[in-house]
Amino acid sequence: VTLEPSSAMVLSLFKQINVTKDFAGARTGVVGPAGKEVSFQLNHPTLIGDEAISFNGVQCSKEIDDGRDDDGNAKLQIMFGDGSLAVSHAMPLGDQLPSSQNTGGKFSTTFEVPISVFIQLMERENAYPIDWQSAERFATWLIPQRLLAYIFIANPDDSWSLKAKLDGESVTVHKAYNSRGVINGRTFTGFYLDLNELEIAPDVSYHLELNLPHRLPRGAFQGIFLHNLETSLTGNVTRCAIKTDS
């Protein structure tokens, strides 16, 4: 099971009665990440048989994948549509991630924030109308309709000073805490940019430059990621395929 960045999973297990080994048939109510393909391995391809298999009304094609190893297994691929609505939890800001060998210093990237991100945050604000107080802005998990870009550095220190420029203009790098009232090194969680404050517009290209502390542990800086987002799900299956070795 692959987990999204900065996430956790809790599983509740139940004993299934009348278990069937027949994989064929029509399955409805299937959802997945908008605009992405989901694939997983079928360890018992003999259970597929010759009957039709479909997800949300889309029948799966059966294909031979010559590039696969002959391990006797099959692979199920489901493609979900609605790519224009795609939002990913902790999605990277920009088209470039730092090298795993980086030790801080200068970093730059070009980015656009898709309109789908703004729509999700606007819907959350409308569904969660709270009169937030100014002191609550210190805790990034509060006021969750904010568009924040988290600068991920392992084991950050609030004595550090980070500088940033957006399209050549200096902008403020904020410090984040997990408390709205206790603001010190023990509650410090890292650095972020407030993209609402910077009046970032949807689907517009920007250039960002960061000046990070020098001599960070190798790979401690892992990139800049959008905060307060949830992966958008859809039931719009556009394609389904079962690929086998032969």
Side-chain angles (χ1 to χ4, degrees):
V1 177
T2 301
L3 298 183
E4 295 179 320
S6 69
S7 66
M9 177 180 289
V10 177
L11 300 177
S12 182
L13 304 180
F14 299 90
K15 182 178 181 181
Q16 185 173 349
I17 302 175
N18 299 325
V19 178
T20 176
K21 292 185 177 181
D22 184 8
F23 192 78
R27 286 164 170 76
T28 59
V30 177
V31 296
K36 293 188 177 181
E37 179 185 276
V38 174
S39 63
F40 56 90
Q41 185 171 283
L42 299 175
N43 292 326
H44 302 286
T46 55
L47 303 180
I48 298 174
D50 295 324
E51 297 184 43
I53 302 170
S54 68
F55 293 89
N56 295 356
V58 176
Q59 184 167 326
C60 297
S61 61
K62 296 180 181 179
E63 305 172 2
I64 296 177
D65 188 351
D66 294 331
R68 285 174 48 78
D69 295 331
D70 188 11
D71 54 10
N73 296 321
K75 185 178 183 181
L76 173 64
Q77 296 177 330
I78 304 174
M79 184 67 199
F80 292 92
D82 298 328
S84 62
L85 304 177
V87 176
S88 298
H89 174 72
M91 59 194 297
L93 181 72
D95 55 4
Q96 183 176 348
L97 290 174
S99 163
S100 60
Q101 301 300 308
N102 85 86
T103 56
K106 293 185 177 182
F107 174 78
S108 63
T109 187
T110 300
F111 70 92
E112 293 183 15
V113 180
I115 185 65
S116 53
V117 167
F118 290 85
I119 292 173
Q120 182 180 111
L121 295 177
M122 181 180 64
E123 290 176 345
R124 181 180 300 141
E125 183 175 14
N126 292 336
Y128 199 49
I130 301 295
D131 183 19
W132 300 102
Q133 304 303 306
S134 59
E136 293 171 314
R137 301 184 70 84
F138 288 110
T140 53
W141 53 273
L142 295 174
I143 323 181
Q145 67 267 27
R146 290 184 289 171
L147 179 58
L148 307 180
Y150 185 71
I151 303 168
F152 186 90
I153 306 174
N155 300 315
D157 190 320
D158 69 344
S159 68
W160 293 344
S161 176
L162 274 65
K163 295 181 179 180
K165 287 185 177 182
L166 184 69
D167 288 344
E169 298 291 331
S170 296
V171 296
T172 300
V173 178
H174 296 277
K175 295 180 180 181
Y177 300 85
N178 63 13
S179 170
R180 73 191 88 185
V182 180
I183 308 301
N184 57 38
R186 292 182 301 167
T187 62
F188 179 67
T189 59
F191 301 89
Y192 70 94
L193 300 168
D194 187 331
L195 301 188
N196 295 127
E197 175 184 272
L198 300 178
E199 299 182 345
I200 296 299
D203 299 321
V204 175
S205 180
Y206 298 92
H207 184 71
L208 177 66
E209 300 174 52
L210 280 181
N211 275 325
L212 304 162
H214 290 276
R215 299 181 182 178
L216 289 174
R218 196 175 303 276
F221 170 56
Q222 297 186 19
I224 310 169
F225 303 90
L226 292 178
H227 199 55
N228 292 333
L229 299 182
E230 299 177 30
T231 297
S232 55
L233 301 177
T234 180
N236 180 15
V237 176
T238 60
R239 184 177 180 274
C240 174
I242 296 173
K243 296 191 175 184
T244 59
D245 300 323
S246 59

